[in-house]
Amino acid sequence: EGILFVYPQETPVGFWMKNVNFPLDIMFFNSKKEMVHRETMEPGSYPKIYKCNIPAQYAIETKSGWFDRNGNSNLKLHV
């Protein structure tokens, strides 16, 4: 239901919506696998870059609305 991006360590990360025609939610996690930021990326917003406000080690992209249906403010990543 989504794409997991894994970085070797916490780092500044950013994503864009090039050639995507539906909204995506992006969730960022720190090295402790705790969610530190989330937002919705809108189609047609390229070249805008959606950045996490603090370094992250993991990011998950899902169709918009997935988090509201399945997640909560205490969501923790298990990888």
Side-chain angles (χ1 to χ4, degrees), residues 3 8 12 16 19 21-22 27 29 32-34 42 50 52 58 60 63 66 68 73-75:
I3 299 171
W16 58 83
N19 300 322
N21 60 4
F22 53 91
M27 295 155 276
F29 297 80
K32 296 177 184 175
K33 301 176 182 149
E34 301 163 328
E42 297 295 336
Y50 294 86
C52 184
Y58 308 93
I60 298 177
K63 285 186 178 179
W66 182 93
D68 292 331
S73 61
N74 296 317
L75 181 69

Side-chain angles (χ1 to χ4, degrees), residues 18-75:
K18 187 172 184 178
N19 300 322
V20 179
N21 60 4
F22 53 91
L24 295 173
D25 288 340
I26 184 105
M27 295 155 276
F28 298 93
F29 297 80
N30 63 18
S31 62
K32 296 177 184 175
K33 301 176 182 149
E34 301 163 328
M35 189 171 60
V36 295
H37 185 72
R38 162 178 89 103
E39 70 180 286
T40 299
M41 302 187 298
E42 297 295 336
S45 60
Y46 181 80
K48 177 182 178 179
I49 297 175
Y50 294 86
K51 296 179 182 177
C52 184
N53 53 359
I54 63 171
Q57 188 168 2
Y58 308 93
I60 298 177
E61 281 183 351
T62 65
K63 285 186 178 179
S64 185
W66 182 93
F67 179 84
D68 292 331
R69 289 188 305 275
N70 300 287
N72 62 54
S73 61
N74 296 317
L75 181 69

